[in-house]
Amino acid sequence: MSDIADITMGQSPKGDTYNEEGVGTVFFQGRAEFGFRFPTRRLCTTAPKRMAQANDALMSVRAPVGDMNVAYEDCCIGRGLAAIHSKDNHQSYVLYTMFNLREQLNVFNGEGTVFGSINKDSLNAMPIIVPPINVIDAFEEIVAPMDKAIRNNYEEICHLTNIRDSLLPRLMSGELDVAELDI
């Protein structure tokens, strides 16, 4: 893995720096905030420690090891996460390589009372096949636009959700009257 990506292991800031009011840097503690592709904002911190860049792969490094999401924006990551950043601007290739390592990562999920986890050295040492750069470039040329479309769809969903959440209470209370609308 270390041939294609830089790995940043998360480190949680002090608890008294967390807030839900959006003050400071967006902060993700672990996989609890993971969505389909992007994590859901819940907490911020005024004292970020370790950061992920927008579009970095975010991976759960504590039970269960290997769940994946993508950083929608620059964010602080807690000790339950690692940020995986392409060394040469092939972020889609890195993301799908990580998805493909799921079975190998499952080995780090302990059985019984053992708490599954993985460290930076084990992640860096994960064996992968690295194809020639022209193959990675061709992959990136095809897949990166698809990832961009997923991001654009996510942004549109968030926008529509915000509109719904602001209009629905006003409609239900009668503050907005739509009786005259011709639909």
Side-chain angles (χ1 to χ4, degrees):
M1 236 7 243
S2 63
D3 290 341
I4 65 166
D6 293 316
I7 297 169
T8 302
M9 301 300 283
Q11 182 180 358
S12 298
K14 291 184 179 181
D16 62 359
T17 69
Y18 301 175
N19 68 83
E20 295 181 3
E21 290 76 42
V23 177
T25 304
V26 174
F27 170 55
F28 300 115
Q29 292 180 306
R31 70 175 291 278
E33 293 104 348
F34 279 8
F36 168 73
R37 176 63 64 112
F38 303 101
T40 302
R41 280 176 153 210
R42 190 175 64 82
L43 292 174
C44 287
T45 179
T46 55
K49 297 265 186 194
R50 303 272 173 85
M51 299 291 292
Q53 296 177 32
N55 295 318
D56 281 357
L58 299 176
M59 187 184 92
S60 171
V61 295
R62 293 177 165 222
V65 172
D67 285 355
M68 299 293 301
N69 251 199
V70 175
Y72 177 75
E73 59 199 322
D74 291 354
C75 57
C76 176
I77 54 171
R79 62 185 180 183
L81 297 177
I84 304 161
H85 183 81
S86 173
K87 287 185 173 185
D88 55 7
N89 203 29
H90 292 117
Q91 197 60 40
S92 290
Y93 173 73
V94 167
L95 175 65
Y96 292 96
T97 297
M98 294 308 300
F99 282 142
N100 194 49
L101 291 175
R102 184 65 186 205
E103 282 186 40
Q104 286 175 267
L105 292 167
N106 276 338
V107 170
F108 291 92
N109 288 316
E111 294 181 11
T113 59
V114 178
F115 184 72
S117 65
I118 189 170
N119 62 31
K120 185 174 183 174
D121 290 339
S122 295
L123 268 175
N124 274 323
M126 291 290 278
I128 61 169
I129 297 171
V130 181
I133 194 70
N134 64 321
V135 173
I136 297 173
D137 286 341
F139 177 88
E140 201 69 26
E141 190 175 316
I142 294 167
V143 178
M146 292 180 210
D147 285 338
K148 180 68 174 161
I150 291 169
R151 183 181 182 85
N152 290 342
N153 289 341
Y154 172 77
E155 289 171 355
E156 187 65 22
I157 288 168
C158 290
H159 179 71
L160 291 171
T161 299
N162 288 336
I163 291 172
R164 179 205 61 206
D165 291 349
S166 66
L167 284 178
L168 193 56
R170 294 170 65 197
L171 289 166
M172 297 295 288
S173 70
E175 182 184 336
L176 290 178
D177 184 12
V178 292
E180 302 297 319
L181 285 179
D182 183 25
I183 334 183

